[in-house]
Amino acid sequence: LKPFWQQRSSRSSAAPLRLGRLTSGGVCHVRPRADPPVMGAYLLPGICKLEFSMGAHGLQWKAGTTEVERVSCQARLLGVKPGWNISTINGAEIRESHQAWNELLKCKKSGQKYQVCFMKDEASIQADKQKAEADKARKQKAMEEQRKREDAERRIREEAEKKRAEEQAAKKQEYWDKQ
């Protein structure tokens, strides 16, 4: 038998519950907890933190180590690559393959989402760096082109205003010359 705060409510989704504050009548309101997004976390270049759901995780690793050998299902969809090492599962540090198996089984059966941190291999780190550099160069080129386009539009607008002002001045002068 679990305490009431660990039991899942039939009304809410699979989100964990958190206790609210007591009201004057002494009733405690329970509302779903909003977990912060995982993908927004800022991590070091060689670390990847992904959120898995219940069900088949799709990770297969070498016996005795935590190095991922093959990926399928959720792992493939989330972008896990062979050669990565499992670092932590739901906050528990993983050093051996049996720990990874036990933690993944426990998380899988809990029915809730869980986070897995991976240490990337050298090839993945280099590929990520190259991709980041290419994206940076592409953005810089796009910004330069936009700046050039804005400068050209500004020059055209200034020339048009100058020409309009000269035409208006010429009309005024022509009007006063007729008088």
Side-chain angles (χ1 to χ4, degrees):
L1 187 65
K2 293 182 180 179
F4 74 92
W5 61 83
Q6 291 180 349
Q7 294 177 358
R8 290 175 46 167
S9 171
S10 60
R11 291 181 298 142
S12 67
S13 63
L17 300 175
R18 111 181 133 175
L19 296 177
R21 60 187 167 93
L22 291 174
T23 61
S24 60
V27 178
C28 183
H29 295 282
V30 179
R31 51 185 194 265
R33 182 177 69 204
D35 291 329
V38 175
M39 301 307 280
Y42 295 102
L43 300 172
L44 296 174
I47 298 174
C48 182
K49 189 175 189 178
L50 300 173
E51 188 172 75
F52 286 78
S53 299
M54 62 181 258
H57 48 74
L59 294 170
Q60 292 181 359
W61 53 91
K62 295 178 182 176
T65 67
T66 60
E67 184 179 342
V68 176
E69 192 173 42
R70 278 182 271 171
V71 293
S72 61
C73 301
Q74 288 187 63
R76 184 178 55 82
L77 294 173
L78 291 171
V80 178
K81 304 284 185 237
W84 291 10
N85 288 311
I86 301 171
S87 177
T88 63
I89 298 174
N90 219 21
E93 190 171 347
I94 306 299
R95 297 232 182 249
E96 297 180 10
S97 62
H98 68 87
Q99 290 175 315
W101 176 259
N102 290 335
E103 285 296 322
L104 283 170
L105 193 61
K106 191 177 3 174
C107 292
K108 185 172 126 177
K109 288 186 176 183
S110 73
Q112 297 179 355
K113 293 183 177 185
Y114 55 96
Q115 298 172 358
V116 180
C117 286
F118 295 93
M119 293 290 292
K120 295 181 178 183
D121 62 336
E122 194 61 35
S124 295
I125 294 172
Q126 293 300 324
D128 288 348
K129 284 182 183 177
Q130 290 174 350
K131 183 180 177 185
E133 289 172 1
D135 286 346
K136 185 177 178 182
R138 183 180 44 81
K139 286 180 183 177
Q140 192 172 17
K141 183 178 177 183
M143 286 177 57
E144 183 68 26
E145 289 175 1
Q146 182 180 0
R147 189 183 59 78
K148 286 179 181 179
R149 187 173 50 250
E150 288 173 353
D151 286 346
E153 290 172 356
R154 183 180 43 81
R155 267 188 262 114
I156 291 170
R157 187 173 50 249
E158 288 174 355
E159 289 173 4
E161 288 174 0
K162 184 178 177 183
K163 185 176 178 183
R164 195 176 317 119
E166 288 174 357
E167 288 175 357
Q168 190 175 15
K171 284 182 181 179
K172 283 183 182 178
Q173 187 63 36
E174 184 181 324
Y175 174 77
W176 289 110
D177 288 344
K178 286 183 182 178
Q179 298 290 327

